[in-house]
Amino acid sequence: FYVSAYYLILLPLVGCSFHEDMNHFSSHHKSNISDNFHKLSPQMTYDITIHGILLWASLGFLFPVGILIIRMSSREAPGSARFKAFFYLHVILQILSALLATAGAVMSIKKFENSFDNSHQRLGLALYVVIWVQVFIGFFRPKRGKKERGMWYMLHWILGTIISLVGIINVYTGFIAYNRKTSRSTTLWTILFTAEVSFIAFFYLFQDKWEYMQKQGVTLGDLPITLSNQEIPERFNQKEMLPEPCGKRNALVNLFD
């Protein structure tokens, strides 16, 4: 009777209590795992910060500035000293940008979990590949006058523009990922980066207008406003060459005498 009562009454109660204890333990364990996931170690936070600085310096600063410099070289005479200086500075900045991006990629592979389940990691992987394709294409630049030069220039220009735009976008997604990982505000960094990108874009677009303003005879610095001989109306010259009527001059003289 006692054995039967144990199995019929006490055992279901013990089973329910054990099940509730296991559920409580499981939920508590999951909560601890979640807290440990979001609570990063100081070393991990430092690694994420260094990774962000490397990618900002590469894709958020050096690469756009390199494009801006090669844009400035188009105003110089090919083969001149200033043209060569702009060209080699462009090459140095782009190679340095590729090296910094590679350092950031290696650091990401070694230090972080790369599941590629978010846009930041996917864009980053695509950028790492395209950057080195761009560097490889740059080293095999055809000489001027060859038929391949036009196709090379178009491909080089398209890839450079894509890398610059997507790189800037990925910096913003990096700010979002950093905020989610560390729960730290990135508002100030976002504002500063937006101001930097806006200034570079403004300076890039202003170059064409600067040359246009110079051609219009607008006062730039200490340069005076000048008019070419063609801009002076011919009738204005003819009016100066015609003698003034004597009657009107004598009338004025007599009036003030």
Side-chain angles (χ1 to χ4, degrees), residues 85-102:
F86 282 133
F87 173 77
Y88 287 115
L89 184 58
H90 166 77
V91 173
I92 292 172
L93 290 179
Q94 302 306 75
I95 293 178
L96 182 59
S97 174
L99 292 177
L100 291 179
T102 303

Side-chain angles (χ1 to χ4, degrees), residues 30-241:
K30 290 180 180 179
S31 177
N32 288 338
I33 292 176
S34 178
D35 291 340
N36 291 333
F37 176 78
H38 291 287
K39 186 178 180 181
L40 300 177
S41 64
Q43 181 63 38
M44 180 61 70
T45 304
Y46 174 79
D47 292 337
I48 293 175
T49 303
I50 296 300
H51 170 79
I53 292 175
L54 288 175
L55 271 297
W56 162 80
S58 171
L59 299 174
F61 182 72
L62 292 179
F63 203 90
V65 170
I67 294 178
L68 185 63
I69 288 175
I70 200 64
R71 174 81 169 180
M72 294 172 62
S73 67
S74 62
R75 301 173 56 189
E76 306 296 334
S80 63
R82 289 175 60 88
F83 179 85
K84 292 181 179 179
F86 282 133
F87 173 77
Y88 287 115
L89 184 58
H90 166 77
V91 173
I92 292 172
L93 290 179
Q94 302 306 75
I95 293 178
L96 182 59
S97 174
L99 292 177
L100 291 179
T102 303
V106 172
M107 188 176 184
S108 176
I109 294 173
K110 287 186 176 181
K111 302 288 185 178
F112 311 140
E113 296 179 0
N114 297 287
S115 56
F116 300 103
D117 57 350
N118 56 73
S119 59
H120 180 70
Q121 292 180 349
R122 293 170 184 170
L123 288 177
L125 178 62
L127 282 170
Y128 299 146
V129 175
V130 178
I131 284 173
W132 280 105
V133 171
Q134 177 77 329
V135 173
F136 181 80
I137 291 174
F139 279 116
F140 290 92
R141 179 172 60 102
K143 295 182 179 180
R144 292 181 180 272
K146 289 189 175 182
K147 295 180 179 180
E148 301 85 5
R149 176 74 178 202
M151 185 61 66
W152 172 89
Y153 177 82
M154 180 177 293
L155 180 61
H156 192 67
W157 174 75
I158 291 175
L159 288 180
T161 304
I162 291 175
I163 292 172
S164 183
L165 294 178
V166 178
I168 290 172
I169 293 173
N170 210 34
V171 171
Y172 283 111
T173 61
F175 288 149
I176 297 174
Y178 180 82
N179 176 258
R180 290 176 179 175
K181 286 286 186 181
T182 63
S183 298
R184 296 181 179 180
S185 177
T186 57
T187 303
L188 178 60
W189 299 111
T190 303
I191 294 173
L192 293 176
F193 183 66
T194 303
E196 174 209 323
V197 172
S198 301
F199 176 77
I200 293 176
F202 172 78
F203 194 78
Y204 180 87
L205 297 174
F206 184 71
Q207 292 183 39
D208 292 336
K209 295 301 180 182
W210 176 261
E211 186 176 358
Y212 176 79
M213 289 169 61
Q214 287 181 325
K215 291 181 179 179
Q216 298 304 309
V218 178
T219 303
L220 299 174
D222 297 331
L223 296 178
I225 299 177
T226 59
L227 293 175
S228 62
N229 293 331
Q230 297 179 353
E231 294 175 346
I232 300 176
E234 294 182 359
R235 60 181 181 180
F236 181 76
N237 293 333
Q238 293 176 359
K239 187 177 292 186
E240 287 185 348
M241 294 174 62

